[in-house]
Amino acid sequence: MPKSMFVDFKAIKAAVTMEQVLDRYGLLDKFKRSGDSLSGPCPIHKGSNPTQFRVSISKNVFNCFSECKHGGNVLDFIAKMEDVSIHAAALKAVEWFNLDPKSFERDAESENTEEEVETPKRKLDSKPRPKPTPPPEDTTPNKPLKFKLEKLDPEHPYLEERGLSPETISHFEIGFCGKGIMADRIAIPIRDQAGFIVAYAGRFIGEPGDDEAKYKLPPGFKKSLELFHLDQALQEPPEMPLIIVEGFFDCMRLFQYGCRKVVALMGSTLSAAQEERLKAHRDKFPRIVIMLDEDEAGITGRADIAARLANFCFVKVHTFEREGTQPDQLTAEEIQTITEAYL
């Protein structure tokens, strides 16, 4: 089979199941079936924990909750196991499972040559079109929910894999949701500054595949109006610095190891509404430490945030030595050292 053959990845993913691939590697008998899922040791990093690797049969995706934290579809799995590209993995799948190569071919010319539409040259005396004005931000407050998700499982293995203690899980009231709006996800309540639950965020278990979002938020919820854990941070002493992080689990881990005055942006940017919220409480937050992920988005975000918050409070920016470091990856000792440095 020619290595340069074009193949339809989507068609192959629909034709081959994770069960077939695990069986091809002689691994299926090592996995335990429970309803819609298969669980067993991770074949990618050669783990031994019988619950660290899970397969969703209906969604045809896998996730490792332990060391390698890989996840995705059948082609992602083959690529990791064989240490090859996705294209090479697709060719192996066609060969292994006796698929008809012609049914998965794509015309190379149609794949690489789009019909070109000539753009008329702008006249020298024509004026450039003004950039469209973005619509104004909807600042209508998020309404408190009239319900609360019950029977969330606080002992789901994913929470242990993320390093959360039972006390932290209880404080944030998170857990695995078996059914409902956040089914098969870790449900995380988001509260407004008064402490009312205004939404739930649903974290996908492990790393999502191509067709899954890492976090699910309810329609109509405006996350730009909220700061995760703000209601609790407001109760901490004013002399303690406020630490701003990106994500839910960053916030939880820092809280767990002593940084209790911490909020999460739920992203790497600070909205105008979030800025105004911090400004309104500048008596509570006279000192702020910005601790975003050490990646391109975090570096860009923290520079903008620092410049804006410096107009009404004392700001410090924390940087990590290792590229790609995230606050939720820090050890208890590292978090304690950082806390003491900013006291």
Side-chain angles (χ1 to χ4, degrees):
M1 186 181 303
K3 293 183 179 180
S4 60
M5 186 185 80
F6 285 83
V7 290
D8 188 335
F9 296 158
K10 185 176 181 180
I12 294 178
K13 288 186 290 186
V16 179
T17 69
M18 278 297 301
E19 288 184 271
Q20 289 175 301
V21 175
L22 290 173
D23 188 49
R24 173 66 174 69
Y25 282 105
L27 299 169
L28 194 56
D29 60 346
K30 298 180 180 180
F31 279 72
K32 182 180 179 180
R33 185 185 300 269
S34 177
D36 182 54
S37 66
L38 298 169
S39 61
C42 179
I44 298 175
H45 75 267
K46 305 298 189 291
S48 58
N49 187 323
T51 63
Q52 66 189 179
F53 185 93
R54 286 190 182 83
V55 172
S56 170
I57 298 172
S58 61
K59 296 177 181 177
N60 208 28
V61 295
F62 73 94
N63 280 285
C64 172
F65 306 134
S66 187
E67 296 175 28
C68 71
K69 298 190 183 301
H70 290 307
N73 54 59
V74 290
L75 296 184
D76 296 317
F77 181 75
I78 296 173
K80 291 297 180 184
M81 292 291 287
E82 301 293 320
D83 193 21
V84 296
S85 68
I86 295 295
H87 182 264
L91 295 181
K92 287 183 180 292
V94 170
E95 180 181 355
W96 291 350
F97 300 104
N98 298 316
L99 304 178
D100 180 6
K102 293 183 180 180
S103 66
F104 296 107
E105 287 185 25
R106 291 189 293 194
D107 184 355
E109 289 190 17
S110 64
E111 178 70 16
N112 294 315
T113 59
E114 296 285 339
E115 182 182 354
E116 295 185 3
V117 179
E118 184 178 354
T119 303
K121 294 181 179 179
R122 180 178 293 166
K123 295 180 180 179
L124 293 177
D125 59 350
S126 64
K127 295 181 180 179
R129 294 181 180 179
K131 293 183 179 179
T133 303
E137 184 178 20
D138 183 1
T139 56
T140 306
N142 293 306
K143 294 182 179 180
L145 299 182
K146 297 180 179 181
F147 66 91
K148 184 175 181 180
L149 293 181
E150 304 290 349
K151 298 181 180 180
L152 298 180
D153 179 9
E155 298 180 356
H156 192 277
Y158 179 75
L159 298 176
E160 183 180 354
E161 295 287 350
R162 295 302 296 259
L164 300 182
S165 68
E167 292 76 18
T168 300
I169 294 170
S170 176
H171 173 80
F172 287 93
E173 298 183 355
I174 63 176
F176 178 75
C177 185
K179 57 182 180 179
I181 59 172
M182 293 297 166
D184 299 326
R185 290 174 178 260
I186 300 297
I188 305 170
I190 302 173
R191 300 177 183 273
D192 61 16
Q193 65 175 353
F196 295 105
I197 298 177
V198 290
Y200 281 91
R203 175 58 162 91
F204 187 83
I205 303 296
E207 293 303 314
D210 296 338
D211 56 348
E212 289 283 355
K214 182 179 290 187
Y215 282 99
K216 178 182 179 181
L217 292 170
F221 170 66
K222 299 179 283 291
K223 73 172 185 177
S224 63
L225 302 185
E226 311 298 341
L227 286 160
F228 180 70
H229 202 240
L230 177 62
D231 61 312
Q232 297 295 309
L234 285 169
Q235 299 178 27
E236 298 296 324
E239 59 270 18
M240 295 291 293
L242 173 72
I243 298 180
I244 295 178
V245 295
E246 290 188 30
F248 301 109
F249 286 90
D250 297 325
C251 181
M252 295 177 200
R253 286 277 289 184
L254 264 64
F255 177 89
Q256 179 168 297
Y257 293 122
C259 296
R260 297 186 171 260
K261 196 172 181 180
V262 57
V263 297
L265 298 171
M266 298 178 281
S268 59
T269 59
L270 179 75
S271 70
Q274 290 171 329
E275 179 183 353
E276 287 301 314
R277 190 65 52 84
L278 293 171
K279 187 176 182 180
H281 295 294
R282 55 184 177 271
D283 58 328
K284 293 278 190 178
F285 307 138
R287 291 193 299 146
I288 292 179
V289 178
I290 303 169
M291 191 185 299
L292 305 190
D293 298 354
E294 199 66 30
D295 57 19
E296 184 177 351
I299 293 170
T300 302
R302 71 194 185 198
D304 172 69
I305 296 169
R308 291 159 60 187
L309 297 187
N311 292 322
F312 56 85
C313 68
F314 180 75
V315 181
K316 282 193 174 183
V317 174
H318 183 83
T319 60
F320 297 103
E321 294 181 1
R322 300 187 305 276
E323 183 180 354
T325 300
Q326 301 175 8
D328 72 323
Q329 299 170 342
L330 301 174
T331 64
E333 292 74 18
E334 288 172 326
I335 292 174
Q336 185 176 3
T337 300
I338 291 172
T339 304
E340 293 173 352
Y342 294 113
L343 290 177

